[in-house]
Amino acid sequence: MQVLLLYDKIIICERNNDIYQKLFNELISKGFFIEKVLNPDIVAGFTIDNNWKYHDFKYSFGILNPDKIFYILRPLCAQGQMQLNMTAQKFFKVAEYKKYIPIVDCQNFPNMYLSQENLYQDNAWDYFYKQNQYSFDEIYSSKNVIFATTDWKEDMPYFSVIEKQVKTEDIVAKFFKLSDYVQQEYNKQEESIFYDKKNVLGVIWRGTDYTATRPKNHVIQPEPEQALAYTKFYKSIFQNEYVYLCTEDESILELFKEFGNKLLYSSQKRYKNTGKNWLAAIHNERVNDEFLRGMEYIISIYMLKNCTNLVAGNCGAARIVDWLVKHHRNSIIFGKYGVDDIHRKRINSKTIIFNGWGASVQFNEVQKVIEIDYCLCDTDSIGGGILRLSLHQRYNSYKIY
């Protein structure tokens, strides 16, 4: 509780709330310093203002380990596995660059992979990955503990430097080693799914809560029929014999079963007709559901290492696969919910944005199987170059084929 003495005022409410902004503005107008107001942004581990400030927070909990600095990553409550992994990858890069001891604390902060009964008892990160074996009793009795921001941006002053000096493949090899149990389960399924199977096209298609809620500024995912058409096209282009489908959506799996015995997929729990419920809020009536959903998702993603080629929507899972192995990947990019979809209705366009090797050359062939008006090509392997452009730039500054 000594941490709270650093602040003059504490705001307790949801940050996506008019009351929060009103209270915050009133305190600042009365002369309180921003640094002296504990608000939901800081509690979440980051704050964004007009100057794009991002914060780590350093605390001294005791006298242990004066020669060490522990760097703590806290999960956000409803953070999915791939989003957590992407955050952790940046977190590990900072720790490696600054010579900190990184610890992912999924024990003392609620998260979707830890049951309420195991909160404060187990570290859910240890369920899935191996990490430094320091106890939290020791860490939280140590002299130097830094709680990391949960939102790194590419334009942060120091992070761009770190990105250039710390290689992603080194971070993955060092910090994303599967736990013994998950590795054993992965080996079993890999043998069962890919035994004597070669020349496989891997596909990743998001559905369920993502496509139902259509969160603004998140990347638009293709409709199931579009995903199927796109898969058929590239299976023909690459002359793959099999298709490995990575999806959490039962409806997409049912649609893809037209591939018959050439369709491969993992045994993960899938969902159907979830409406606008987030998967994080859905509990399955099975023992250890929180652990199983995390393990099953990781295994389904890691299976893509066995594929010859990869086709995917722009999503976190595709980025994770890029860490594991470099495929000849083609992404299908429609822009962002609440932005590009509205713009396309306005201009009556079914624009599809491709990126990857040979996209422009293949455009005429793709146009035959998917309704599109034109194609924008980007050399960025995950389409980030296109998505970082303004709406005007996306539709007016790139060559139209």
Side-chain angles (χ1 to χ4, degrees):
M1 297 301 291
Q2 61 179 347
V3 172
L4 300 181
L5 298 179
L6 298 172
Y7 300 94
D8 293 332
K9 294 289 182 178
I10 301 172
I11 300 177
I12 303 176
C13 71
E14 295 182 2
R15 69 180 300 271
N16 296 324
N17 190 313
D18 291 338
I19 297 175
Y20 156 67
Q21 198 60 55
K22 180 180 178 181
L23 289 172
F24 188 80
N25 291 339
E26 283 182 359
L27 290 172
I28 302 307
S29 67
K30 289 179 181 178
F32 287 94
F33 292 108
I34 292 178
E35 293 79 5
K36 290 294 185 180
V37 178
L38 180 62
N39 60 69
D41 283 333
I42 292 176
V43 172
F46 66 93
T47 185
I48 304 176
D49 60 21
N50 292 332
N51 296 314
W52 293 90
K53 294 179 180 177
Y54 299 80
H55 297 276
D56 287 347
F57 297 91
K58 184 175 181 179
Y59 300 118
S60 180
F61 289 99
I63 60 174
L64 297 183
N65 302 307
D67 58 335
K68 295 182 175 67
I69 298 178
F70 292 100
Y71 197 45
I72 310 298
L73 177 64
R74 299 153 291 162
L76 300 179
C77 191
Q79 200 169 33
Q81 186 71 54
M82 294 304 106
Q83 185 185 10
L84 177 58
N85 281 14
M86 287 190 292
T87 301
Q89 181 254 138
K90 295 179 180 179
F91 162 79
F92 288 131
K93 281 186 175 180
V94 174
E96 192 77 352
Y97 181 78
K98 295 190 173 185
K99 309 301 181 185
Y100 296 158
I101 300 172
I103 302 290
V104 181
D105 186 354
C106 291
Q107 176 170 315
N108 297 294
F109 300 92
N111 60 87
M112 64 182 292
Y113 300 105
L114 191 65
S115 67
Q116 192 63 37
E117 302 80 50
N118 290 328
L119 186 62
Y120 310 120
Q121 306 298 320
D122 293 345
N123 189 352
W125 185 263
D126 295 342
Y127 292 165
F128 313 118
Y129 301 104
K130 297 177 179 180
Q131 73 169 336
N132 292 308
Q133 295 303 306
Y134 288 92
S135 72
F136 285 115
D137 286 340
E138 179 180 357
I139 293 170
Y140 293 134
S141 297
S142 295
K143 183 176 179 61
N144 304 301
V145 179
I146 299 176
F147 289 96
T149 175
T150 56
D151 191 36
W152 285 271
K153 299 292 183 184
E154 286 74 9
D155 55 356
M156 289 172 66
Y158 65 86
F159 192 69
S160 59
V161 176
I162 295 174
E163 283 276 70
K164 293 176 182 177
Q165 296 194 27
V166 183
K167 295 181 179 179
T168 299
E169 53 265 35
D170 294 338
I171 292 298
V172 172
K174 184 173 182 178
F175 296 107
F176 287 90
K177 296 177 181 177
L178 296 179
S179 67
D180 291 340
Y181 184 82
V182 173
Q183 184 66 59
Q184 290 173 9
E185 291 301 308
Y186 171 84
N187 293 343
K188 291 177 185 176
Q189 289 202 41
E190 181 184 46
E191 176 70 15
S192 172
I193 296 170
F194 288 97
Y195 176 73
D196 77 4
K197 306 292 193 305
K198 304 295 182 183
N199 194 18
V200 181
L201 173 65
V203 295
I204 306 173
W205 302 122
R206 283 297 320 271
T208 58
D209 56 350
Y210 194 107
T211 53
T213 57
R214 303 170 67 86
K216 187 173 180 178
N217 285 321
H218 284 60
V219 182
I220 297 171
Q221 299 300 308
E223 295 299 322
E225 292 75 14
Q226 292 174 320
L228 180 62
Y230 197 67
T231 302
K232 288 179 178 179
F233 170 72
Y234 271 104
K235 183 176 183 290
S236 173
I237 288 290
F238 295 136
Q239 297 186 334
N240 298 112
E241 183 177 358
Y242 297 93
V243 172
Y244 173 75
L245 173 64
C246 179
T247 185
E248 83 291 357
D249 194 312
E250 183 69 30
S251 299
I252 294 177
L253 175 60
E254 291 300 320
L255 191 65
F256 271 64
K257 284 185 177 178
E258 73 169 68
F259 286 111
N261 62 6
K262 300 300 181 181
L263 178 66
L264 313 175
Y265 52 92
S266 74
S267 61
Q268 77 175 109
K269 172 70 176 176
R270 293 179 176 83
Y271 302 85
K272 189 175 183 179
N273 300 324
T274 57
K276 293 192 175 182
N277 295 314
W278 289 100
L279 292 186
I282 298 175
H283 180 74
N284 303 300
E285 294 301 325
R286 57 177 178 171
V287 178
N288 296 324
D289 178 58
E290 291 83 3
F291 162 67
L292 289 174
R293 69 163 67 191
M295 180 183 71
E296 290 166 356
Y297 192 42
I298 289 172
I299 288 176
S300 71
I301 298 296
Y302 274 55
M303 286 293 171
L304 288 156
K305 294 191 296 182
N306 295 278
C307 299
T308 314
N309 310 97
L310 177 64
V311 176
N314 189 286
C315 61
R319 292 180 175 90
I320 300 299
V321 177
D322 277 346
W323 302 352
L324 302 173
V325 60
K326 293 298 181 184
H327 291 88
H328 182 155
R329 174 151 80 87
N330 284 263
S331 293
I332 180 169
I333 303 173
F334 292 82
K336 298 180 179 180
Y337 288 118
V339 181
D340 291 78
D341 48 358
I342 293 174
H343 180 69
R344 286 203 291 272
K345 286 182 180 179
R346 188 181 300 125
I347 65 175
N348 193 30
S349 167
K350 300 182 179 67
T351 306
I352 190 171
I353 301 174
F354 289 94
N355 73 282
W357 297 267
S360 60
V361 177
Q362 298 159 358
F363 170 64
N364 291 332
E365 293 300 316
V366 177
Q367 196 174 32
K368 296 176 183 177
V369 294
I370 307 176
E371 289 186 3
I372 51 180
D373 287 345
Y374 56 85
C375 170
L376 304 179
C377 297
D378 180 17
T379 56
D380 186 325
S381 66
I382 59 172
I386 285 286
L387 296 175
R388 283 193 291 271
L389 295 174
S390 68
L391 184 68
H392 174 78
Q393 289 174 315
R394 281 210 285 279
Y395 288 88
N396 295 284
S397 298
Y398 272 60
K399 184 176 180 181
I400 299 176
Y401 294 91

